[in-house]
Amino acid sequence: MQAPLTRPKIGFVLSGGGSRGAYEAGIIHYLRTDLAKRMGRHVPIDIVAGTSVGAINAAFMAATASDPTAQAQQIVDAWRSLRIEELISLKPMDMVRAARMMLGGEPPPPTPNSFRYGGFLDTSGLERFVIRAIPWRGIEKSLRDRSLYAISVSATHVGTGHTVVFLSSSDPVPREWSRDPFVRHRAARIGPRHVLASAAIPMLFPTVKIGDEFFTDGGLRQNTPMSPAIRLGADRLLLVSLRHIASGSPALQQERVEAYPKPLFLAGKALNALMLDHTEYDLQRMQRINMILDAGHATFGEGFQAMMNDTLVNLRGAPMRRIQATHIRPSEDIGSIAAQFVRSGRMKVDGRIARRLIQRLAEGEAAHESDLLSYLLFDGDYAAQLIDLGRRDAAQKEDELAALFDVPVELPVSRRAV
C-alpha cells in the first residue's frame, strides 16, 4: 500500500441530469487523452463525488481508476452504445400504466426480491445496463491500491427527504461528518443499488430500496456534491454542471412565453429547477468562503484561518479551507440540442409507437428546446453530440485544467499516459 498523499488531493464532482450525463463522459475522455498528452502523464483524480447520472459516471471512474487509458474509450463507448427503447420500456402497456399513475392510480406491487418501486417509467433496462457496464469489483480494487482515495454517491431518503451520502474510502470515514440536520453519511461498499438510487429521477424513475429504506434522486437536495468531496479531503476541485447559462435571444424568450401553458414544457423547467440550479448556489458559497479567508489573511495575518477554525470545528464539525476549483458547464443549450436531434430523425428507435411518443414529447415543449426530453433521450447518437460538446468545452479550459492538476505525483507504470 502506498503512503498517504502529501500533495493536494484533487476531487472530481459530477452533477445530475439524466441522459445529459454524456457531456460528463466527454470531459472525462478529454482529461484522459488530450490533457494527459499535454502534461506527459495521466492527471491524478483522488476523490470522485457524484449525484444522479453523475453517480453512474463517478462509479465507472472509480471502478476503472487503475487503468485510465482504457477508461477514456470505455466510457464513451458505453454512452454511444445506448438505445432508448432498450433502457426505458415504451410499449403500449407501459404508456397505459404511466397514464393511470398520473391520474392517481397505485403503481403495481413490486415483484418478489425486487429492489425498485413506483415511477411512471419502467427503467429495468437501464438498471441492467448499469449493472453490466460498470466493473463493480474494480471500485474496491482501486481503493485498495490507492488508484482512488474515496468515492461518494448522494441519494435522497424518501421517508425523511434528507440527503444520504454513501461513502467508500481507503481511509477510515470520520465519525462526525456534518452538523447539517438534513444530511447523513453512511460508510458503504458502493454498488449498483446506491448508484441507481442516486439516479432515480423523481416520479419518472422507480425509487430504489437499500436495506429496508427507499431512496430517490440525490439531485433533489444535493445535485452538485461539492461538500462530500471537500469533507473527504479534496483541496482542489473539478466541477462539472449540466446547465447552459445564457440570456437567450428575444425570439427565443417569446417562444418560451408562448410555450408556458404546455404541461411538458413546465415539467422540463421544473426538473431544471430541481436538479440543475443548485450548482450556482454551491459555487457562490464556495467563492464567498474563499474571499472571507483571503480577506482574513490580508487583514489579520497567516494565523487568521487557524484561529477561526478553532471555533468553527465546534460549531460545524469541520474547518474551513480555501479550495481551488475549475468549473466546466455546457457552452450550448442541451435542451436545444435534444430538440434539434429529434427533429433530425436520427433516433435509434424501431417501434412506431415509441418513436411517435418521443416526437410527441418534443412537440409538447418549445419548438427549439426540449428540456424534459434532454433528461430521457438515452440515444447513442445524441450522446455522441454531448460527448463532443464536453470535449470542446474542456479544451477551452485547458490552461486552467493544467494548473489545477499541476501537482507533484508518483504514478505506477500502468497509469502513465501513452
Side-chain angles (χ1 to χ4, degrees):
M1 180 177 290
Q2 298 176 1
L5 286 180
T6 56
R7 61 163 175 81
K9 286 184 180 179
I10 299 177
F12 194 5
V13 178
L14 298 158
S15 59
S19 57
R20 292 172 176 238
Y23 178 82
E24 298 173 339
I27 294 171
I28 294 166
H29 188 270
Y30 181 86
L31 296 177
R32 295 311 194 192
T33 54
D34 298 63
L35 188 64
K37 289 178 181 177
R38 167 171 170 165
M39 308 210 46
R41 57 175 171 80
H42 278 297
V43 297
I45 296 174
D46 306 302
I47 297 161
V48 288
T51 293
S52 193
V53 72
I56 297 176
N57 287 331
F60 187 91
M61 289 195 72
T64 57
S66 59
D67 190 0
T69 300
Q71 179 187 84
Q73 195 59 45
Q74 288 172 359
I75 195 167
V76 298
D77 286 348
W79 276 98
R80 287 171 175 163
S81 71
L82 298 181
R83 295 190 58 154
I84 187 170
E85 59 190 342
E86 294 177 358
L87 303 186
I88 300 174
S89 183
L90 299 174
K91 298 175 183 177
M93 287 306 299
D94 295 308
M95 300 304 102
V96 172
R97 169 179 169 272
R100 185 182 300 119
M101 290 177 61
M102 288 180 186
L103 294 173
E106 291 289 331
T111 58
N113 301 319
S114 174
F115 60 86
R116 56 192 177 91
Y117 179 68
F120 293 155
L121 301 175
D122 180 356
T123 60
S124 53
L126 176 61
E127 293 159 8
R128 289 192 294 269
F129 171 80
V130 168
I131 292 170
R132 182 181 70 249
I134 298 175
W136 292 98
R137 293 182 180 179
I139 295 179
E140 292 301 313
K141 177 181 180 299
S142 297
L143 294 171
R144 284 197 306 271
D145 66 21
R146 298 270 179 161
S147 300
L148 183 78
Y149 279 77
I151 174 177
S152 78
V153 169
S154 300
T156 302
H157 189 279
V158 171
T160 63
H162 295 169
T163 294
V164 176
V165 182
F166 296 101
L167 308 162
S168 288
S169 175
S170 58
D171 296 323
V173 176
R175 286 181 176 272
E176 186 171 17
W177 176 257
S178 172
R179 300 277 176 90
D180 187 336
F182 302 107
V183 179
R184 299 287 184 270
H185 81 283
R186 297 184 187 179
R189 184 169 182 169
I190 301 295
R193 292 197 189 187
H194 303 97
V195 168
L196 289 168
S198 181
I201 298 176
M203 296 184 293
L204 297 177
F205 290 6
T207 59
V208 175
K209 190 176 185 181
I210 301 175
D212 295 325
E213 301 165 300
F214 282 96
F215 295 85
T216 189
D217 201 298
L220 287 177
R221 293 188 60 89
Q222 193 184 70
N223 194 49
T224 312
M226 292 167 53
S227 178
I230 293 170
R231 288 181 180 271
L232 285 167
D235 304 291
R236 302 183 182 185
L237 292 178
L238 173 56
L239 314 171
V240 181
S241 57
L242 298 175
R243 183 170 189 178
H244 171 66
I245 303 296
S247 58
S249 66
L252 183 57
Q253 292 175 10
Q254 180 60 33
E255 178 185 305
R256 289 170 177 163
V257 171
E258 293 171 353
Y260 179 78
K262 295 182 179 181
L264 294 180
F265 177 82
L266 293 176
K269 297 305 177 187
L271 270 181
N272 285 348
L274 285 172
M275 302 184 66
L276 301 184
D277 288 350
H278 303 290
T279 305
E280 305 309 314
Y281 171 77
D282 290 343
L283 278 170
Q284 290 172 10
R285 182 173 61 177
M286 185 185 70
Q287 290 165 356
R288 284 196 299 269
I289 291 173
N290 285 344
M291 289 174 62
I292 290 170
L293 295 177
D294 290 344
H297 287 152
T299 304
F300 301 106
E302 292 298 320
F304 166 77
Q305 185 170 331
M307 289 188 294
M308 184 179 67
N309 280 331
D310 284 342
T311 301
L312 282 176
V313 168
N314 293 327
L315 293 175
R316 64 190 293 267
M320 283 187 177
R321 348 183 231 116
R322 197 183 198 289
I323 304 296
Q324 179 181 342
T326 295
H327 178 212
I328 302 177
R329 63 155 57 94
S331 59
E332 299 177 24
D333 192 311
I334 293 181
S336 297
I337 294 173
Q340 294 166 10
F341 181 80
V342 172
R343 288 201 307 271
S344 73
R346 295 169 55 201
M347 289 182 300
K348 297 175 182 176
V349 179
D350 293 330
R352 181 176 60 84
I353 294 177
R355 177 176 287 275
R356 183 56 185 152
L357 174 64
I358 294 170
Q359 290 172 340
R360 279 291 186 90
L361 283 174
E363 293 166 0
E365 299 193 66
H368 295 93
E369 59 180 322
S370 297
D371 288 325
L372 178 61
L373 192 57
S374 72
Y375 290 88
L376 303 175
L377 197 54
F378 291 96
D379 180 281
D381 288 340
Y382 167 69
Q385 290 186 235
L386 300 190
I387 289 168
D388 290 343
L389 178 62
R391 282 185 48 79
R392 293 197 304 272
D393 290 346
Q396 292 296 315
K397 296 264 189 173
E398 182 176 296
D399 290 342
E400 195 173 338
L401 289 169
L404 182 79
F405 288 106
D406 185 17
V407 293
V409 60
E410 291 292 328
L411 293 174
V413 174
S414 63
R415 296 184 69 195
R416 292 176 187 164
V418 177

